[in-house]
Amino acid sequence: MSIQYRACLIGCGRMGATIDDEVNDNLPFSHAAGYTAVENVDLVAVSDSIAEKVETIQKRYNVPEGYTNYREMIEREQPDIVSIATRPGSHAEITIFAAKNGVKGIYCEKSLCCSMAEADAMVEACTNHNVKFNYGTNRRYQAIYWKMRELIETGEIGDLQCIICHCGISAAQWMHTHTSDMMMYLAGDPEIKFVQGHIIANDSDWEENRLNIDPGIPMGYVLFKNGIFGYQLA
């Protein structure tokens, strides 16, 4: 008999619950739609800081419980799995709270968080509490990219030396989360030797060594430790 998992959604916005209205596909795309499509997962509760969104998504997906406080939801519902589909500013605090309060699987939307210090704290919390963690750079789970990596690994396209991504000028926390992840995936997920890049920012965007915007990146360059080069070009 398969295990029945309890899931909770934090964030009833686009990726959490409504992007299915935009995607012309027969497959579920949002977190809520994905959970309701899996037989051994019950979406038992959703939360959002806006009560109207909670009520709308409860009705749409027939979810029994709704909350405006995610901490209260986790403590009361004791879910096995939590999806975090809020803006990145709250990802670290939600991840750490969930890990410390019994959640054993976390799927966190991109962007991951707002600093390396936050990322380190998230890793520490999940490691200390034996939590499985996944992140919203989902292109590496799509068949077209599996095939690309297969062609590379079997040598059918020859010796891979360079990966070039033409993605336009976009921000680090949005489009280029996918760019950097696909570079990593197609290169074989190696360690990185060094990174170089350019950003579009003004002096007024800085506060000491803190950048207060998510700047556009017209160019990025990576050298992986396995010798493969990666370029992100506008």
Side-chain angles (χ1 to χ4, degrees):
M1 179 180 292
S2 64
I3 299 173
Q4 199 70 20
Y5 296 99
R6 294 170 59 82
C8 286
L9 169 65
I10 303 172
C12 294
R14 182 172 180 262
M15 289 307 300
T18 65
I19 193 174
D20 304 270
D21 297 335
E22 306 169 31
V23 179
N24 186 19
D25 199 325
N26 293 323
L27 295 174
F29 209 86
S30 69
H31 292 251
Y35 285 133
T36 55
V38 179
E39 290 185 0
N40 66 324
V41 176
D42 296 321
L43 183 58
V44 297
V46 298
S47 71
D48 195 283
S49 59
I50 301 174
E52 291 79 5
K53 285 188 176 183
V54 173
E55 294 172 6
T56 298
I57 300 310
Q58 277 188 266
K59 292 177 182 177
R60 177 168 180 164
Y61 293 103
N62 194 28
V63 181
E65 301 295 337
Y67 297 82
T68 54
N69 185 313
Y70 76 85
R71 294 178 178 87
E72 180 184 357
M73 179 179 69
I74 290 173
E75 290 173 342
R76 286 190 180 181
E77 302 296 335
Q78 290 294 294
D80 304 294
I81 307 166
V82 161
S83 270
I84 302 172
T86 61
R87 289 290 187 176
S90 60
H91 287 181
E93 67 178 62
I94 297 173
T95 296
I96 293 167
F97 183 88
K100 289 181 176 180
N101 284 273
V103 176
K104 291 305 178 186
I106 297 172
Y107 192 109
C108 183
E109 263 303 328
K110 68 177 187 71
S111 303
L112 181 64
C113 55
C114 297
S115 70
M116 286 307 301
E118 288 187 350
D120 289 341
M122 293 164 76
V123 170
E124 181 180 9
C126 290
T127 301
N128 289 346
H129 296 277
N130 195 29
V131 176
K132 301 295 184 182
F133 183 92
N134 203 355
Y135 170 49
T137 49
N138 57 6
R139 298 186 184 188
R140 63 169 54 221
Y141 305 111
Q142 297 176 6
I144 187 172
Y145 297 110
W146 292 346
K147 186 62 178 180
M148 290 172 67
R149 183 155 163 171
E150 177 188 323
L151 293 173
I152 292 168
E153 291 178 340
T154 58
E156 291 191 43
I157 65 170
D159 183 25
L160 180 65
Q161 298 181 37
C162 180
I163 300 165
I164 301 173
C165 301
H166 290 279
C167 301
I169 298 174
S170 185
Q173 289 197 323
W174 299 106
M175 183 63 194
H176 289 317
T177 54
H178 289 299
T179 308
S180 56
D181 185 65
M182 290 316 303
M183 275 190 189
M184 292 282 295
Y185 179 70
L186 296 177
D189 288 316
E191 292 185 27
I192 293 172
K193 190 170 184 179
F194 71 82
V195 176
Q196 179 180 341
H198 295 284
I199 64 171
I200 299 174
N202 298 315
D203 289 344
S204 59
D205 297 323
W206 292 89
E207 184 178 339
E208 296 181 351
N209 68 341
R210 177 187 174 89
L211 184 61
N212 292 319
I213 63 169
D214 190 10
I217 301 176
M219 188 282 288
Y221 166 68
V222 180
L223 175 60
F224 296 104
K225 286 188 177 181
N226 62 4
I228 296 173
F229 295 95
Y231 294 93
Q232 176 262 306
L233 303 174

